[in-house]
Amino acid sequence: VIGVIGRGRRFLITGHMNPDGDVLGSMSALALVLQRLGKEVVVYNRDPAPARYAFLPLMERLVQEVPKEPFDAVFIVDCCEPQRVGSAFAQAVADAQLGAIDHHAIPPDDLDFYYHDAGAAATGSPGQRIRKCSGFPGFVLLNQIRLSVTMSL
């Protein structure tokens, strides 16, 4: 995963349909890490974020259509099955490297890269390890509140 991040310039971050706090927090935190590393990031989910998660960073930039411009890699968080992202998703990102960061005990299907920790309570645990390896600091300033990226993950 760290190699994919290092080589890539433009990334799509997504997760399962009907997003919950785990997927949205993980998408948000990964996007912040990639942006801090100077990467271009698009955050996508087929469904809009529930209003109760509007406080998460970058939720105002969550799009419901995959942009047509190509991506170097696509991260699926909180699931490893592209079909759980939505039917239009797979065709839109066919030329990109496809990978997942997940904590569920389901083995990956046809992915180019994968980071998995079945013992983790949430996707944030494996995401936190990636954050540490990337050299990204553990805190971001959000509306004058020091919010741990670990909490978002």
Side-chain angles (χ1 to χ4, degrees):
V1 171
I2 297 300
V4 169
I5 292 171
R7 289 186 299 274
R9 182 191 62 78
R10 189 162 193 267
F11 298 91
L12 178 72
I13 300 172
T14 190
H16 58 75
M17 300 175 280
N18 303 310
D20 57 18
D22 190 11
V23 72
L24 292 171
S26 297
M27 289 167 56
S28 176
L30 181 57
L32 288 171
V33 169
L34 293 175
Q35 284 184 337
R36 182 62 67 94
L37 294 172
K39 309 299 182 174
E40 184 181 340
V41 179
V42 174
V43 183
Y44 160 80
N45 197 288
R46 186 198 77 169
D47 301 316
R52 67 181 168 270
Y53 299 115
F55 72 93
L56 289 170
L58 307 178
M59 286 300 100
E60 73 281 357
R61 292 184 35 207
L62 180 69
V63 298
Q64 273 73 59
E65 290 187 28
V66 178
K68 296 189 184 329
E69 299 84 10
F71 295 93
D72 296 314
V74 175
F75 284 92
I76 303 173
V77 298
D78 200 35
C79 73
C80 62
E81 302 115 327
Q83 64 271 20
R84 288 191 61 207
V85 176
S87 58
F89 169 76
Q91 294 172 352
V93 298
D95 294 333
Q97 284 189 295
L98 182 61
I101 300 172
D102 195 12
H103 69 106
H104 297 99
I106 301 169
D109 243 9
D110 300 328
L111 298 174
D112 298 310
F113 59 95
Y114 187 64
Y115 189 87
H116 177 252
D117 183 353
T123 301
S125 296
Q128 175 69 351
R129 288 188 196 92
I130 292 167
R131 181 203 59 79
K132 286 180 180 177
C133 291
S134 73
F136 183 73
F139 295 92
V140 296
L141 191 63
L142 173 66
N143 296 331
Q144 307 301 329
I145 298 170
R146 200 169 187 211
L147 173 69
S148 169
V149 172
T150 305
M151 291 167 54
S152 296
L153 286 171

